[in-house]
Each structure stands twice: as structure tokens, then as C-alpha cells.
Amino acid sequence: MDELPDGLVVVDVDGVVLGVNRAAERLTGVMREEATGRHISDTLPLRDADGRDWWKCLDPHGGLATRSRQPERPLHLPGRPEFLVVTRLVRSPERGGPVVRIVLTLRDASARARLERSRADLVSTVAHELRSPLTSVKGFTATLLGKWERFSDAQKLVMLETVNADADRVTRLITELLDVSRIESGRLQIHRQIVDIPARARRIIAGRVAAGEREERFRLDVRGELPETWLDQDKIDQILGNLVENGLRHGRGTVTIVVEPVEWGVAVSVRDQGEGVAPELVGRVFRQFWRGNGRRRGGTGLGLFIVKGLVEAHGGTISVQRAPGGGAEFRFILPAGAPDFG
């Protein structure tokens, strides 16, 4: 019982507590020595949101003989935070027999509440981020369709370029949302091959320069002989691209990428010369919708959350700290060596 991650309380049909595991002790604040052998209403007086006595509502002696469980519901103890409880009625014989034991599983409700708030924030963010580009696409398209002959070729080109850019913005948002969904559900797949990390970094820098950034704003520093790394090339490009984009958006000066061998893999640091991340914000950096603490804002706030998920899917770790020359340094470490395909 003590090895279970969820709280567990077992009572007999009369409500006498037979056992309590450690997780239940943490959630309820009631030690097993206090609860065992006593009636659950005396030691664990569970109440629902309307203040009703859970034990009386359960009524294990009544109801249909086929009843075997009570669905998950939020309950609380006086002076304690709310938690989620699922109840199982154990019968003997199993089908139609009398109730002989009641098993309760308890789970902290705060994680569920955070998840629901996160989903609500996600819906709000998506609606906000989609509204602007879709309004632009709709407006320019309707204008061109209705008044095509009134515009010069140069005017038409500007409108179509705007529509194309806004369509790309929507596509990026949808891609980010799919990545978030895969990370949260554990369905992110890694397709490993030998990846030259410095070469991928050069490709990311070349892409930014081609997009209009000054070449002198970037610096690549490769130190020592790097071990062989088997990684997902597309996802490594995504990690580097998001971190470089973050450095350009929230930092100033040169964005430096340092690649070096470490004890069990390869470490990559992306540094900027901005104000850095305040110590009190370090714990929030990799959460969804974090947009930095500076004036320059933009994006959905999902980039660093996705970066963390991609790095951890490779078996790596990522952290943020102050760069040697000031600014922020995002440093991730990826394992080296060929994977076990067996």
C-alpha cells in the first residue's frame, strides 16, 4: 500500500478503518495509527462541496446490489485542501453479493486544477493568436475578390504577401499546439539518427541571416572533440531555432551558441546579452505561456515549454542561468552514443 502513488484508505462495511497508506497520510494529515480501528466519520469526516457527509451519502448497505463504485468526486476535510476521491465497493460474491469492504483512492486536486487552468489559458491564447491573422487573411482576400480591378499589381502583391505571412503564422501556431499536445500526452516520437549538432547550429544561423538578421549578431563556438550523438534531427533544429529566436526576441547584442563535450554527452548553450532572467522567474521559464520579463514580447509563450519537452524526450536536461557576460544562458545536455535498438 505504501508504494502506491495515490492515497489509499480501506474500511469495512460498517465504516471502521482497516488501513491507510503513506500517500493518504500526506493528503489528509491523519496518521494511520489515529485512524485504524476507528469509524471513518470520526477520523476522516469527508464532506462534498455542499458540506454533506460523504459516508451517509455512500450508504454501503443500500442501493442496487450491482453497484460497485462511486465515480471520482471532489471531497475535503475540515481545514484541508480539496482532493479527488474514487470509491470502490468490494462485494462477495463479486456479482450481487453484500458489500464487505470499501476502498477509497485519494488524489491531490491541485494538479488537476492547474491542468484545467492551463487548458483554459491555452484556449484563450489560441483564440487571441488566431484572431489577428485570420482577420487579416479574411479582410485582404475579400478586398481582392471584390475589387480586384481597382488595385495595381504592386498593391496586389503587398496584400498577397501579407496573407501569406499571416497564413504562415497560423501554421506555426498549429504546429506548436500539436507539439504541446504530444508532449503532455507522452506521444512524442523520437526518430534517431547521427546528428552533427554544430552543422545544425550553422544551418539555423544561416536561416536567420537569410531572413534579414545581421550575420555579426551570431557566434558559434565549438569546443573540443564531440562524441557521436543519435538524435532526432528535425527536433534538434526545433530546439536550436526556438532558443535562438528567444535570444533574439528577449535579449540584445550577440547570440552565442557554445557546443562542447561533457562527461556523458554534449552540452549546448545559447547565450544572449540582454537583461537575463530574474532569479525569482527561473522556475517559471519553461512553463506554458511564459513570455519573459522584458518589454519585448511576442509569440505564444509555448516555445520554451516545447524546448524542454523535446530535450527531455531525448533523455536530456535543460536549465537557465546567467550567461558569463550577462544576459540569459539556456544550456541543455544530450546523451551521446548509439541507442539500443534491441
Side-chain angles (χ1 to χ4, degrees):
M1 288 174 59
D2 286 338
E3 294 176 356
L4 295 174
D6 293 335
L8 187 71
V9 177
V10 183
V11 302
D12 66 16
V13 69
D14 295 319
V16 176
V17 177
L18 303 176
V20 177
N21 74 346
R22 290 177 184 169
E25 288 181 329
R26 290 193 298 270
L27 285 170
T28 64
V30 177
M31 299 297 102
R32 70 185 72 186
E33 294 81 6
E34 303 173 34
T36 304
R38 300 177 61 190
H39 196 277
I40 190 169
S41 293
D42 297 330
T43 57
L44 294 168
L46 297 167
R47 297 288 188 272
D48 64 14
D50 296 323
R52 294 175 297 187
D53 187 324
W54 166 82
W55 177 255
K56 290 181 180 178
C57 294
L58 179 66
D59 187 20
H61 293 285
L64 297 174
T66 56
R67 186 172 57 134
S68 62
R69 66 188 299 273
Q70 188 179 66
E72 182 180 83
R73 61 182 56 194
L75 300 175
H76 69 276
L77 294 171
R80 302 289 299 185
E82 189 176 74
F83 42 82
L84 304 172
V85 179
V86 177
T87 306
R88 176 171 173 76
L89 304 174
V90 181
R91 297 178 180 273
S92 182
E94 185 176 352
R95 292 184 178 275
V99 175
V100 294
R101 283 189 307 281
I102 297 100
V103 179
L104 294 77
T105 57
L106 293 70
R107 182 170 295 174
D108 187 358
S110 59
R112 179 77 60 84
R114 285 195 300 270
L115 179 60
E116 290 175 353
R117 287 196 300 270
S118 175
R119 288 174 175 170
D121 289 342
L122 186 61
V123 171
S124 175
T125 299
V126 170
H128 175 76
E129 294 292 332
L130 285 176
R131 182 181 296 113
S132 176
L134 289 179
T135 300
S136 171
V137 168
K138 174 61 178 175
F140 280 120
T141 303
T143 300
L144 287 171
L145 287 173
K147 304 177 181 179
W148 180 266
E149 302 297 335
R150 301 185 184 181
F151 296 107
S152 66
D153 289 345
Q155 290 173 321
K156 293 173 184 176
L157 180 61
V158 170
M159 291 185 186
L160 290 173
E161 286 176 342
T162 303
V163 169
N164 185 61
D166 285 331
D168 287 341
R169 182 176 165 188
V170 172
T171 300
R172 285 195 300 271
L173 175 60
I174 292 173
T175 300
E176 287 184 341
L177 294 175
L178 289 173
D179 287 335
V180 169
S181 174
R182 293 187 185 106
I183 290 169
E184 290 188 330
S185 64
R187 293 185 289 108
L188 192 67
Q189 294 184 350
I190 300 297
H191 303 286
R192 295 183 183 271
Q193 62 185 35
I194 296 176
V195 173
D196 183 340
I197 296 178
R200 306 319 299 173
R202 292 187 188 96
R203 182 178 180 276
I204 296 297
I205 292 172
R208 299 300 310 193
V209 172
E213 295 287 348
R214 293 178 292 107
E215 187 172 359
E216 58 268 22
R217 188 151 187 211
F218 303 96
R219 177 171 172 261
L220 176 61
D221 182 3
V222 182
R223 303 174 180 176
E225 184 176 350
L226 302 177
E228 182 181 273
T229 51
W230 286 71
L231 309 166
D232 188 312
Q233 182 169 283
D234 291 339
K235 291 179 174 56
I236 294 303
D237 286 352
Q238 192 173 355
I239 292 168
L240 291 170
N242 280 4
L243 290 178
V244 169
E245 172 71 21
N246 183 76
L248 292 171
R249 178 179 291 125
H250 298 291
R252 292 192 298 270
T254 303
V255 175
T256 302
I257 303 175
V258 180
V259 186
E260 58 189 334
V262 291
E263 183 177 355
W264 54 275
V266 175
V268 182
S269 301
V270 180
R271 303 168 178 169
D272 63 56
Q273 296 177 325
E275 298 177 358
V277 179
E280 64 271 16
L281 297 177
V282 168
R284 308 179 195 174
V285 166
F286 297 107
R287 295 180 186 174
Q288 294 182 23
F289 314 118
W290 187 82
R291 294 171 184 255
N293 57 343
R295 294 182 179 179
R296 297 185 64 187
R297 294 174 179 258
T300 60
L302 297 174
L304 293 177
F305 173 82
I306 292 171
V307 164
K308 183 174 185 290
L310 296 179
V311 169
E312 292 179 347
H314 282 86
T317 59
I318 186 168
S319 60
V320 60
Q321 57 196 14
R322 186 168 182 80
E329 174 181 334
F330 289 85
R331 178 180 174 87
F332 63 93
I333 302 176
L334 298 170
D340 182 6
F341 293 106

